[in-house]
């Protein structure tokens, strides 16, 4: 659920105003229920698109590594390629395992749609610890390989190459941590909204 969607924000604000004015949560109108179902269907389509995008990105990265970055005649490059393939396999397995049961609603009811959205938020939050571990594994694999590649050159690598390596070690984790902080807050906010809607359906 995007907090930048004016239509959705308007729906939430109107419903919350009605709820605040009553002793019990205001019942959702048929229009609100229709919008909820429509929103969840769009999120379902986005989930399938995300899975396809992940596969395309992984294949693109592998193609770039094979065609431009790695020389498989060198044992170190062959080893790092094997490590990357293993990381991809683990990532795809976890990704699809974590999304099991959330691809689409099991029934055409508003309650089911809201419950599905809450569960999707929980799965998103569960992804974050895995992302941290994956980042650590990637750095543990790529940093030694990059250092070895620089030191094994016939000529001493220029300072710019070492600065690029340092940037990779520092900037990538920093960007991931910033993204994870934003993503966690966004997901918690979404889940709170869905849970508030869920209580109104009881």
């Amino acid at each position: 659920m995007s907090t930048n969607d004016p239509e959705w924000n308007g729906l939430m604000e109107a419903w919350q105003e009605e709820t605040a004015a009553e002793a019990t949560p205001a019942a959702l109108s048929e229009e609100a229920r229709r919008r909820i179902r429509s929103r969840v269907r769009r999120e379902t389509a986005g989930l399938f698109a995300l899975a396809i995008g992940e596969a395309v990105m992984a294949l693109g990265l592998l193609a770039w590594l094979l065609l431009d970055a790695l020389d498989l005649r060198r044992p170190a490059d062959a080893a790092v390629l094997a490590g990357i393939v293993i990381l991809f396999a683990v990532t795809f397995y976890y990704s699809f395992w974590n999304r099991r049961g959330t691809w689409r609603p099991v029934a055409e009811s508003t309650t089911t749609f809201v419950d599905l959205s809450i569960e999707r938020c929980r799965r998103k939050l569960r992804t974050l610890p895995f992302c941290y571990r994956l980042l650590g594994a990637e750095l543990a694999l790529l940093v030694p390989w990059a250092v070895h590649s620089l030191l094994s050159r016939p000529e001493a690598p220029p300072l710019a190459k070492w600065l690029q390596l340092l940037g990779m070690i520092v900037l990538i984790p920093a960007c991931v941590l910033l993204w994870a902080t934003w993503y966690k807050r966004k997901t918690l906010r979404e889940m709170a909204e869905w849970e508030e809607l869920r209580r109104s359906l009881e």
Side-chain angles (χ1 to χ4, degrees):
M1 184 190 313
S2 172
T3 55
N4 295 323
D5 186 333
E7 181 183 11
W8 180 262
N9 289 342
L11 171 65
M12 285 297 301
E13 289 172 3
W15 177 74
Q16 288 169 348
E17 288 174 1
E18 293 175 6
T19 299
E22 300 180 10
T24 58
L28 290 174
S29 65
E30 284 303 316
E31 175 63 16
R33 292 171 185 268
R34 184 193 65 78
R35 291 185 186 180
I36 289 171
R37 292 193 292 269
S38 176
R39 181 129 198 135
V40 174
R41 289 191 183 101
R42 290 198 300 271
E43 290 178 352
T44 297
L47 202 59
F48 280 98
L50 178 61
I52 294 172
E54 289 171 347
V56 171
M57 289 178 60
L59 291 174
L61 179 58
L62 280 176
W64 172 75
L65 289 171
L66 289 171
L67 296 174
D68 189 59
L70 299 178
D71 182 354
L72 298 184
R73 293 171 297 181
R74 296 184 298 189
D77 285 15
V80 81
L81 177 63
I84 290 172
V85 170
I86 291 172
L87 286 179
F88 278 164
V90 171
T91 301
F92 278 113
Y93 172 80
Y94 179 84
S95 178
F96 282 90
W97 173 82
N98 191 47
R99 291 169 182 160
R100 72 195 189 286
T102 66
W103 292 100
R104 55 167 57 92
V106 295
E108 290 289 321
S109 70
T110 303
T111 300
T112 302
F113 277 60
V114 173
D115 287 342
L116 175 62
S117 294
I118 293 172
E119 184 59 28
R120 282 175 175 172
C121 288
R122 290 174 180 153
R123 301 291 180 88
K124 290 177 183 178
L125 293 174
R126 194 165 66 185
T127 299
L128 293 176
F130 175 79
C131 289
Y132 299 144
R133 297 187 185 98
L134 179 63
L135 174 63
E138 289 174 346
L139 291 175
L141 175 68
L142 295 177
V143 171
W145 167 75
V147 172
H148 176 270
S149 296
L150 291 175
L151 293 177
S152 61
R153 293 185 176 187
E155 299 179 357
L159 178 61
K161 292 293 184 181
W162 290 106
L163 291 177
Q164 288 177 5
L165 176 60
L166 179 62
M168 181 184 74
I169 297 172
V170 174
L171 291 179
I172 292 179
C175 290
V176 170
L177 290 175
L178 286 173
W179 169 83
T181 300
W182 168 82
Y183 189 75
K184 182 177 181 179
R185 290 177 179 174
K186 173 180 175 291
T187 303
L188 287 172
R189 186 166 58 248
E190 289 178 3
M191 189 163 65
E193 291 179 356
W194 283 120
E195 288 175 339
E196 188 176 1
L197 284 171
R198 181 64 179 85
R199 286 191 291 271
S200 74
L201 298 172
E202 295 176 350

